[in-house]
Amino acid sequence: MDSFFSPTANCRVRWQDLPGSGVPLVFVHGLGCASSCEYPRVVVDKAFGGRRAILLDLPGCGYSEKPRDYSYSITEQACVVAELVAHLGLESCFLYGHSMGGSISIEAAALLGDKVAGLVVSEPNFHPGGGFFSRQICSYSEAEFVEVICQQLVAQDDSPWAGSLAVDAPWAVWRGAASLVAGSDWFTRFVDLPKPKQLIFGEHSLPDDDFSSLKTLGVSTVVLPECGHSMSWENPTALAAALTAFCR
């Protein structure tokens, strides 16, 4: 596990650099998650093809530090992704972002410009209003979520998500959710991005209006079988294969 100091978050941010060949793929996780928890199984899958992978734990999550005086907004987290790419001296990389990480990666791709070889997002937040979990989280005050609700969610949830949520800072989770609810027009930003791009959905998450709209607009879309939103846990081989096919 490596680390660098992020001026944006004013803390140490940690990542795993898993060796491989080709242009590296940077993984950006979703709300209440951590790449160090979620993506090793995807990267070691034979379908991933041995590409170099950078697994980033965003500030407030996983092994990264968890400052209290940081916004955890989508925009500032995107700046952290760009800082990591600069710190690593990457001249070119692919970005993959899931859910909240998809929204972050859309903004990071704009910041990184020519350094981005392509962008893949899976079931991202495209619009203000948030998703099911972010709306649920923001139905409570930050103080109530930090002091009571987050621990209750961990105790009540028996999915792999609970494991990463348990080690994320609850204030980071709440502020990330609040930033998703406040939102931005990430849909238009994604459409307008002048880079190779792709949208991935699990079949159990369909039908979806954004998926249909992007397919009509000619944006590359992929449906993963036998999974829903938690595709990295439910069908890691299919996700690995989709990422490998795109990065070719």
Side-chain angles (χ1 to χ4, degrees):
M1 180 70 65
D2 297 305
S3 72
F4 79 104
F5 182 82
S6 163
T8 296
N10 194 34
C11 73
R12 296 208 69 80
V13 175
R14 294 184 170 87
W15 78 94
Q16 293 166 300
D17 191 339
L18 303 183
S21 59
V23 176
L25 175 59
V26 179
F27 286 75
V28 185
H29 60 82
L31 184 67
C33 297
S35 293
S36 60
C37 170
E38 189 167 357
Y39 296 118
R41 171 63 180 82
V42 174
V43 174
V44 301
D45 197 287
K46 290 181 180 179
F48 191 69
R51 180 175 298 274
R52 181 184 175 191
I54 311 295
L55 276 54
L56 169 64
D57 284 357
L58 292 164
C61 305
Y63 288 99
S64 289
E65 292 183 343
K66 303 167 175 66
R68 287 266 190 174
D69 57 348
Y70 175 54
S71 73
Y72 298 97
S73 70
I74 302 304
T75 296
E76 291 208 325
Q77 297 285 53
C79 290
V80 173
V81 175
E83 287 173 348
L84 173 61
V85 171
H87 175 80
L88 291 170
L90 301 179
E91 294 300 319
S92 182
C93 66
F94 291 99
L95 293 179
Y96 167 65
H98 175 64
S99 195
M100 179 184 75
S103 309
I104 293 168
S105 295
I106 291 168
E107 294 200 19
L111 294 173
L112 289 165
D114 290 341
K115 291 185 177 180
V116 176
L119 170 65
V120 188
V121 295
S122 59
E123 303 194 19
N125 295 80
F126 274 134
H127 310 284
F132 172 78
F133 281 118
S134 50
R135 290 193 300 270
Q136 180 186 12
I137 288 165
C138 289
S139 67
Y140 306 96
S141 68
E142 179 177 349
E144 187 178 7
F145 182 78
V146 169
E147 293 168 9
V148 178
I149 303 301
C150 189
Q151 291 81 357
Q152 289 181 351
L153 286 177
V154 171
Q156 294 167 3
D157 195 305
D158 59 0
S159 73
W161 183 65
S164 55
L165 180 63
V167 297
D168 285 3
W171 52 89
V173 176
W174 191 93
R175 293 176 201 174
S179 186
L180 290 173
V181 171
S184 179
D185 187 4
W186 293 299
F187 183 89
T188 299
R189 293 191 195 193
F190 184 66
V191 170
D192 291 345
L193 187 71
K195 296 286 180 181
K197 51 187 177 272
Q198 185 172 87
L199 173 65
I200 297 176
F201 255 70
E203 67 170 339
H204 298 160
S205 299
L206 296 172
D208 178 84
D209 290 343
D210 289 328
F211 185 89
S212 299
S213 297
L214 286 171
K215 191 171 184 178
T216 299
L217 290 170
V219 175
S220 174
T221 56
V222 172
V223 179
L224 302 187
E226 300 178 7
C227 64
H229 190 69
S230 301
M231 56 192 68
S232 63
W233 297 314
E234 295 170 2
N235 198 341
T237 297
L239 178 57
L243 293 173
T244 297
F246 177 82
C247 293
R248 289 199 185 104

